[in-house]
Amino acid sequence: MPPNMILIDGKAVASFFKSQIANEVNKMKKQGMKVPHLAAVLVGNNGSSETYVANKVKACELVGFESSLFRFDDDVSENELLEKIKEINANDAIDGYIVQLPLPKHISVDKIINSIKPSKDVDGFHPENTGRMVKNLPCYIAATPFGILKLLEYYKIETKGKHCVVVGRSNIVGSPISILMARDGNPGNCTVTLCHSKTEKLIDHTAKADILIVALGKPEFITADMIKDGAVVIDVGLTRMPNANKKSGFELKGDVKFDEVAPKCSFITPVPGGVGPMTIVALLENTLKAARKEVYF
Ligand code: GUN
């Protein structure tokens, strides 16, 4: 590794922010205020979803939040789920909640997300929050893009006037981060190129990126020849690859071929331990904002 390459330590940064949030919760308690309360709705037994939700509950405990978990079997009806959402929307004890995705095929994700009260939508998935984000108004920003912004801010990475290339246009990551990086703000004020599966000559775009954000879910897709010298590389990919040499039988791979790309970078996120740990921090921060009525007053 060249001495000037900085490995972004998402785990350490996440711990830093979590202890800040815990301090805030202590202050709220001392002032006799109710502690923030995050709820999660989990349908079925998807292994990854179980892990994500368990980690969210654990993080709540760590910072002193209250948490609730509402579980449903795979065959729950859409109406039953909508009824639960109505109940949570009306429950003043719960400040914010998420409906863990994916949902079973017989349930309309749009219908469910549209029924979440925007002021409790700490995932930032409701169209009202997306619209507010586009207009640069107070909103809940979705966990992954918010986590990326917090990392850029923490490491004081200059974004103003830079060329940011985003690879992947998902609703959860690529699309929102492309808007956020172009907004008038800090981080922000980038000239943004959004690349996707139909982009021709991808390398012509990625090789011009001062900041490259990759979220396409193809392990080790981005190679050294696609990178500009001194680029900042943010890898959002997280794919389980079979590996018989590992105790677990698998290893986690990002979308970037780390070993060959890292030597060309000024900053790079590892996988795991880069963006991932920041997503929970983002969710906790949104919940804190919900409890303090900082977004919807
Ligand atoms: N599934 C994968 N990531 C997420 C997320 O950030 N929020 C929710 N609700 N479901 C997810």
Side-chain angles (χ1 to χ4, degrees):
M1 303 286 170
N4 55 350
M5 193 280 288
I6 295 178
L7 185 66
I8 292 178
D9 188 345
K11 226 171 143 181
V13 179
S15 293
F16 168 80
F17 282 115
K18 277 189 224 163
S19 59
Q20 266 196 346
I21 295 170
N23 286 340
E24 289 303 311
V25 175
N26 273 331
K27 273 192 225 162
M28 290 169 93
K29 272 189 196 161
K30 278 189 192 142
Q31 290 166 2
M33 291 165 73
K34 176 182 107 51
V35 300
H37 184 161
L38 173 70
V41 176
L42 177 61
V43 180
N45 316 87
N46 176 307
S48 303
S49 291
E50 296 260 3
T51 309
Y52 283 137
V53 170
N55 286 337
K56 285 164 191 172
V57 170
K58 224 179 347 180
C60 283
E61 276 169 20
L62 188 79
V63 299
F65 284 9
E66 264 193 66
S67 66
S68 303
L69 174 58
F70 302 108
R71 299 192 71 125
F72 292 90
D73 290 335
D74 244 335
D75 59 357
V76 64
S77 72
E78 193 176 82
N79 273 342
E80 215 176 320
L81 215 48
L82 288 168
E83 275 307 309
K84 188 69 197 179
I85 287 174
K86 228 193 236 174
E87 190 187 306
I88 304 175
N89 284 343
N91 183 348
D92 289 338
I94 296 172
D95 299 296
Y97 70 101
I98 63 154
V99 178
Q100 187 65 29
L101 304 178
L103 290 170
K105 284 198 172 51
H106 65 279
I107 294 170
S108 157
V109 174
D110 279 335
K111 233 188 211 175
I112 297 297
I113 286 175
N114 292 350
S115 67
I116 296 173
K117 192 174 178 181
S119 60
K120 295 192 177 193
D121 168 40
V122 286
D123 247 337
F125 289 173
H126 190 283
E128 179 161 336
N129 276 306
T130 309
R132 282 173 172 240
M133 178 196 67
V134 172
K135 297 184 82 173
N136 212 355
L137 294 170
C139 65
Y140 299 116
I141 298 173
T144 305
F146 192 16
I148 295 171
L149 295 187
K150 290 189 77 63
L151 280 179
L152 294 171
E153 196 181 357
Y154 184 89
Y155 282 89
K156 298 186 171 58
I157 293 170
E158 181 69 75
T159 59
K160 186 170 70 179
K162 303 291 180 197
H163 185 188
C164 174
V165 176
V166 177
V167 186
R169 59 178 160 184
S170 69
N171 285 335
I172 294 185
V173 188
S175 233
I177 197 67
S178 70
I179 290 160
L180 293 161
M181 294 304 282
R183 284 194 328 186
D184 185 3
N186 184 27
N189 283 313
C190 286
T191 302
V192 174
T193 303
L194 177 56
C195 301
H196 46 76
S197 55
K198 306 292 185 294
T199 298
E200 291 180 3
K201 298 201 184 114
L202 180 65
I203 190 170
D204 287 354
H205 300 287
T206 59
K208 288 190 191 128
D210 300 310
I211 301 168
L212 180 67
I213 302 176
V214 194
L216 77 164
K218 287 191 179 170
E220 301 191 318
F221 182 82
I222 300 290
T223 45
D225 55 321
M226 301 170 84
I227 303 289
K228 177 173 164 176
D229 274 326
V232 175
V233 173
I234 307 291
D235 187 353
V236 185
L238 192 68
T239 307
R240 276 184 176 200
M241 301 284 284
N243 185 335
N245 296 324
K246 298 273 172 188
K247 237 198 316 193
S248 59
F250 69 87
E251 75 183 310
L252 293 168
K253 288 276 181 202
D255 288 346
V256 174
K257 210 162 192 177
F258 183 87
D259 289 346
E260 62 174 61
V261 168
K264 293 185 81 174
C265 298
S266 55
F267 292 87
I268 186 167
T269 58
V271 175
V275 175
M278 292 301 293
T279 60
I280 286 192
V281 169
L283 184 66
L284 295 174
E285 280 212 6
N286 279 345
T287 308
L288 186 60
K289 284 181 186 166
R292 289 174 164 169
K293 311 230 177 314
E294 285 177 7
V295 177
Y296 291 80
F297 354 90

